Amino acid sequence: MSTVQQPDPSDRPARLTVGVVGAGRVGPALAASLQLAGHRPVAVSGVSDASRRRAQELLPEVPLLPPAEVLQRADLVLLTVPDDALPGLVAGLAETGAVRPGQLLVHTSGRYGAKVLDPALRAGALPLALHPAMTFTGTPVDVQRLAGCSFGVTAPEELRLAAEALVIEMGGEPEWISEENRPLYHAALALGANHLVTLVAQSMELLRAAGVEAPDRMLGPLLGAALDNALRSGDAALTGPVARGDAGTVAAHVTELRRHAPQAVDGYLAMARATADRALAHGLLKPELAEDLLVALADGGDGTGTTGTNGTEGTR
């Protein structure tokens, strides 16, 4: 259970009506969190059956309406649509006169800062970019996960305090990201979180192929410890055959992957090369072992890079 204390609604009498445009996994959860802080969700728009079910589960009794009507009813509007759809949505709402002066318009895209809301700004809206650094399930558990979650915040300087206040009301921790750094910020999160899911899923598939009955139970403690060590120690937490310079073992891995999971080979090689570079740069991989390892990785485990400079295999 989270120890983060939700704000007492009585401490902030100026409550806002809240609308959601795009009832994906994020929008209803944020609106439900704002409701806990005393704000009042009044309208949601959603197209798919799944989005409508999510809205009904997380925001019961809040009507489902077209986007223009959501903006008409709400003081604070959450634009929680896919990144690629956001610029067109903002331009369309501004062109049709749906945006009202003084209305808080918040998008949750990690890629974009506040400038994507410029068409709405010209119509008098107050633009905020609040991106929760969290993965969402589309279920009520997401509201709990927002407690202590970092938000990437980008807004005009005069709205900075308002943006940070909204994040804090949702139980989050505001982290200011400059407009020009938003793409890099988002790439970093995707690299760490999205690619992690792919790696874990591939690992579980390979363990099943190797006869492991409960790969999730096997990986849970290992990956939990690896993540904790990485967050605490960074590159000093690197371990395994690449960091040790075990070229023969790495080549054997690639041979087995080519046999059982050829779709995983390119990813393994890319991550192994990146790991080798970092291990070498931080003094974890001995230079005299790095040459054979890099040869094995360059050869892609085709059998030509499995021997060391002394002609032996797997002696390390």
Side-chain angles (χ1 to χ4, degrees):
M1 179 177 292
S2 171
T3 59
V4 176
Q5 184 177 0
Q6 290 289 340
D8 184 347
S10 64
D11 292 340
R12 293 177 178 270
R15 301 294 83 193
L16 301 171
T17 53
V18 179
V20 179
V21 176
R25 297 182 180 184
V26 179
L30 296 187
S33 183
L34 288 168
Q35 187 173 37
L36 291 176
H39 300 288
R40 184 165 61 92
V42 292
V44 182
S45 74
V47 177
S48 69
D49 290 340
S51 66
R52 291 171 177 267
R53 285 195 299 270
R54 273 191 294 267
Q56 290 171 359
E57 182 178 14
L58 287 166
L59 301 170
E61 301 181 7
V62 176
L64 286 158
L65 300 171
E69 292 187 40
V70 173
L71 268 70
Q72 186 177 23
R73 295 191 177 200
D75 303 316
L76 165 63
V77 180
L78 301 172
L79 303 179
T80 52
V81 297
D83 289 359
D84 288 351
L86 182 61
L89 172 65
V90 175
L93 292 173
E95 289 172 2
T96 58
V99 178
R100 292 187 286 108
Q103 191 170 45
L104 284 165
L105 214 56
V106 177
H107 80 71
T108 59
S109 166
R111 170 186 173 187
Y112 292 107
K115 285 190 178 300
V116 71
L117 298 173
D118 276 355
L121 174 65
R122 290 190 289 271
L126 307 177
L128 307 175
L130 307 180
H131 175 251
M134 177 55 62
T135 181
F136 288 80
T137 63
T139 66
V141 72
D142 295 332
V143 180
Q144 301 172 21
R145 286 180 173 175
L146 287 173
C149 167
S150 291
F151 279 66
V153 177
T154 306
E157 186 62 33
E158 61 271 20
L159 295 176
R160 179 167 180 161
L161 291 179
E164 292 177 345
L166 286 172
V167 170
I168 292 170
E169 285 193 317
M170 287 186 281
E173 297 286 342
E175 184 72 36
W176 191 259
I177 308 295
S178 65
E179 184 78 31
E180 62 271 18
N181 283 337
R182 289 291 289 209
L184 179 61
Y185 152 80
H186 195 225
L189 294 180
L191 186 66
N194 303 153
H195 296 175
L196 176 63
V197 175
T198 301
L199 291 172
V200 173
Q202 286 185 334
S203 181
M204 291 178 66
E205 289 174 355
L206 293 170
L207 286 172
R208 289 192 190 97
V212 175
E213 293 184 0
D216 54 341
R217 187 170 65 230
M218 177 175 284
L219 286 174
L222 173 64
L223 298 185
L227 177 59
D228 184 65
N229 290 341
L231 292 175
R232 291 174 182 270
S233 305
D235 288 300
L238 284 171
T239 185
V242 173
R244 291 192 299 268
D246 290 338
T249 298
V250 170
H253 286 176
V254 180
T255 298
E256 288 301 298
L257 290 175
R258 289 195 187 283
R259 182 177 301 141
H260 297 286
Q263 73 280 2
V265 172
D266 287 345
Y268 180 95
L269 290 172
M271 291 304 299
R273 289 166 184 148
T275 300
D277 288 343
R278 298 189 74 88
L280 188 61
H282 289 81
L284 301 173
L285 175 60
K286 296 179 181 179
E288 60 270 23
L289 300 180
E291 183 178 354
D292 286 351
L293 176 66
L294 295 176
V295 168
L297 293 173
D299 292 335
D302 62 2
T304 62
T306 58
T307 59
T309 55
N310 59 359
T312 61
E313 181 176 347
T315 58
R316 295 174 181 80

